[in-house]
Amino acid sequence: MSTVDEVSQAAGRARTLADLDSAICRCLACPRLVDWCRQTARERRAAYRDQEYWGGPVPGFGDEHPSILIIGLAPAAHGANRTGRMFTGDRSGDWLFGALHRVGLAALPTSVDRSDGQQLRGVRITAAVHCAPPGNTPTPQEFAACAHWLQQEWSLVASTTRVVLALGGLAWTASLKMLRAAGGQVPKTRFGHGAQAAVRLGDRTVTLVGSYHPSQQNTFTGRLTEHMLDTVLARARELSGQQPL
Ligand code: SF4
């Protein structure tokens, strides 16, 4: 896939999450991001000099029948773009997986690489944009291109998902667009840590929950504490009806 139209068509053809993940991994629709992922993988950070980087689009990770869908912004250049698993291999991921484990939604307290045995229960983690962007800042066009993958991911998990947890304001906006594209009636609710919106989708309701992103910008400054992240994840678990591991 090298055009947005091709992304849209390929996303629509994906009938399973495995199909979708495989197609995402072959996507080339955003040249700036494709180049950045590959350049980062070639140059590498000194600490990871001996590692083979993933260096491309990173698919979602987790339960195939989730009750909670977590949506982040995009892979980090030396985190998920290195390991090939969402929120894996960087400080943001350490925070997220640590909290998921504490509230009983992840088997292990850390997510190190794709072979570490980590498992999520009732949770799938994905992102608004599947390729690492320079400066962690995708363009509006890149958000729009990758939204086709997110919308299809939603259609494949919608039957079981009761909570969408958006990490950060940009993921909140992408989640709103995803739910509206699926026909959801979304009340006006501003993003904030712990914000909630009940989204009517046909004869059922999905709850959109907001959390500050566990980026170092937020965790170093104390804007987001472990207690705050644990509390919002526990709330998401409660709303989803998911039992802890
Ligand atoms: S950001 Fe999304 S649409 Fe763009 S190249 Fe990566 S996977 Fe494809």
Side-chain angles (χ1 to χ4, degrees):
M1 285 76 62
S2 53
T3 67
V4 176
D5 280 349
E6 287 170 354
V7 171
S8 172
Q9 289 164 16
R13 283 195 299 271
R15 291 287 167 261
T16 65
L17 285 173
D19 287 349
L20 185 80
D21 292 347
S22 166
I24 288 171
C25 290
R26 298 192 303 276
C27 187
L28 302 169
C30 307
R32 185 182 81 109
L33 302 190
V34 170
D35 289 349
W36 178 247
C37 290
R38 291 177 177 172
Q39 180 186 333
T40 308
R42 270 195 317 274
E43 295 174 355
R44 303 178 197 182
R45 184 173 277 173
Y48 308 125
R49 188 70 66 206
D50 58 343
Q51 294 185 20
E52 184 89 10
Y53 274 48
W54 178 263
V58 180
F61 169 66
D63 200 317
E64 289 188 6
H65 305 287
S67 55
I68 302 169
L69 181 66
I70 297 178
I71 302 181
L73 172 58
H78 300 283
N81 185 55
R82 173 172 59 88
T83 62
R85 184 197 280 166
M86 283 294 174
F87 280 95
T88 295
D90 62 15
R91 293 282 173 83
S92 297
D94 292 345
W95 268 67
L96 180 60
F97 278 94
L100 285 166
H101 180 68
R102 287 193 293 276
V103 302
L105 296 172
L108 303 173
T110 58
S111 183
V112 178
D113 60 39
R114 283 177 293 122
S115 60
D116 62 7
Q118 177 63 279
Q119 286 186 315
L120 296 175
R121 182 172 181 201
V123 175
R124 182 171 170 88
I125 303 175
T126 191
V129 171
H130 283 274
C131 293
N136 290 322
T137 310
T139 65
Q141 292 76 18
E142 290 158 354
F143 273 112
C146 221
H148 293 288
W149 295 126
L150 187 60
Q151 283 163 21
Q152 187 64 7
E153 190 161 10
W154 172 254
S155 76
L156 292 170
V157 301
S159 63
T160 58
T161 302
R162 296 171 69 179
V163 175
V164 175
L165 175 62
L167 300 178
L170 293 171
W172 174 271
T173 301
S175 300
L176 287 175
K177 287 182 179 170
M178 175 192 80
L179 291 166
R180 286 198 180 108
Q185 293 170 18
V186 185
K188 268 192 178 174
T189 312
R190 288 173 63 124
F191 170 73
H193 187 78
Q196 274 185 223
V199 179
R200 196 81 193 138
L201 271 161
D203 59 358
R204 68 200 192 94
T205 300
V206 169
T207 306
L208 174 61
V209 179
S211 169
Y212 291 150
H213 192 285
S215 63
Q216 287 184 287
Q217 200 177 0
N218 288 331
T219 56
F220 271 16
T221 56
R223 186 169 191 243
L224 179 67
T225 64
E226 283 191 354
H227 177 70
M228 288 168 68
L229 189 54
D230 290 0
T231 301
V232 86
L233 281 169
R235 178 75 183 132
R237 193 196 67 207
E238 186 185 327
L239 288 164
S240 75
Q242 180 72 38
Q243 296 302 310
L245 275 166

